[in-house]
C-alpha cells in the first residue's frame, strides 16, 4: 500500500512540474536595442543612407576594396545630433584617406557615387530591423 501511495504522489508531483519553454521576443516597437547590421551586398551608400536610417546611429564602416583593406581601416563614430553632418564628415574623411594613400580613382568614384556601407551599429526597434531584413540581404547581431 505504501508503494502505491508513493507512486501516486510522484505521478501527481511530476504532472505539476512540466515546464514549457518558448522563445518570446518581449520587445514593443517603442523599445530600442543595440544592433550590428552587416550588409552582404552593396545596397546602402552615403547617397541613400538617410532613406533607411534615422539619428540613432553609433558607427558605420564602409566597404573597402580587398586590395587595400589593410591600409584603410575606417570605422566612423557618429555624433548622435546630426545625420547630415556625420555623413558629410564620414565621406570627407574616407575620400581624404583614399587620396592620401594614392587611390585617386577610388576617391573620385566615392565622390561621384557615394560610399557603400558594409556595417552599421545602431539603436533601433525590432520593427525597423525587421523592415530592413525584409528589404536587404543582411546579417543582424543583437549586441
Amino acid at each position: 500500500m505504501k508503494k502505491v501511495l508513493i507512486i501516486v504522489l510522484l505521478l501527481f508531483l511530476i504532472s505539476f512540474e512540466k515546464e514549457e519553454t518558448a522563445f518570446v521576443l518581449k520587445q514593443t516597437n517603442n523599445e530600442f536595442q543595440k544592433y550590428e547590421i552587416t550588409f552582404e551586398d552593396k545596397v546602402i551608400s552615403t547617397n541613400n543612407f538617410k532613406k533607411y536610417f534615422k539619428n540613432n546611429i553609433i558607427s558605420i564602416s564602409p566597404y573597402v576594396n580587398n586590395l587595400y583593406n589593410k591600409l584603410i581601416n575606417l570605422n566612423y563614430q557618429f555624433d548622435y545630433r546630426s545625420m547630415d553632418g556625420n555623413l558629410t564628415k564620414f565621406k570627407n574623411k574616407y575620400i581624404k584617406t583614399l587620396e592620401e594613400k594614392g587611390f585617386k580613382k577610388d576617391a573620385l568614384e566615392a565622390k561621384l557615387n557615394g560610399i557603400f556601407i558594409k556595417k552599421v551599429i545602431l539603436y533601433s526597434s525590432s520593427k525597423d530591423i525587421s523592415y530592413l531584413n525584409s528589404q536587404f540581404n543582411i546579417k543582424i547581431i543583437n549586441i
Side-chain angles (χ1 to χ4, degrees), residues 76-80 82-90:
Y76 185 78
Q77 302 296 316
F78 265 52
D79 177 355
Y80 67 91
S82 171
M83 175 69 81
D84 288 331
N86 281 310
L87 287 175
T88 301
K89 287 178 186 176
F90 169 70

Side-chain angles (χ1 to χ4, degrees), residues 22-60:
F23 176 74
V24 178
L25 181 61
K26 286 187 152 186
Q27 178 184 13
T28 64
N29 290 336
N30 295 330
E31 291 181 8
F32 283 65
Q33 293 185 353
K34 191 174 178 181
Y35 294 94
E36 177 182 288
I37 299 173
T38 303
F39 294 92
E40 302 298 326
D41 304 317
K42 291 182 176 182
V43 290
I44 299 291
S45 73
T46 51
N47 292 345
N48 65 352
F49 191 81
K50 292 189 304 183
K51 180 178 177 182
Y52 299 102
F53 295 98
K54 312 239 180 336
N55 278 331
N56 299 317
I57 307 300
I58 297 169
S59 69
I60 59 175

Side-chain angles (χ1 to χ4, degrees), residues 81-128:
R81 295 171 285 204
S82 171
M83 175 69 81
D84 288 331
N86 281 310
L87 287 175
T88 301
K89 287 178 186 176
F90 169 70
K91 193 171 181 178
N92 291 340
K93 184 176 180 179
Y94 183 76
I95 291 169
K96 182 179 177 185
T97 303
L98 286 174
E99 289 173 341
E100 287 173 352
K101 299 290 184 181
F103 302 108
K104 307 240 184 240
K105 182 180 176 187
D106 292 310
L108 180 60
E109 187 176 319
K111 284 179 186 177
L112 297 174
N113 300 325
I115 301 164
F116 286 104
I117 307 299
K118 175 71 175 174
K119 187 188 314 181
V120 178
I121 298 177
L122 73 156
Y123 286 104
S124 186
S125 68
S126 61
K127 178 183 174 185
D128 291 341

Side-chain angles (χ1 to χ4, degrees), residues 51-77:
K51 180 178 177 182
Y52 299 102
F53 295 98
K54 312 239 180 336
N55 278 331
N56 299 317
I57 307 300
I58 297 169
S59 69
I60 59 175
S61 300
Y63 271 97
V64 178
N65 189 324
N66 288 334
L67 297 174
Y68 51 83
N69 193 21
K70 294 186 191 230
L71 295 173
I72 299 174
N73 186 8
L74 187 64
N75 184 21
Y76 185 78
Q77 302 296 316

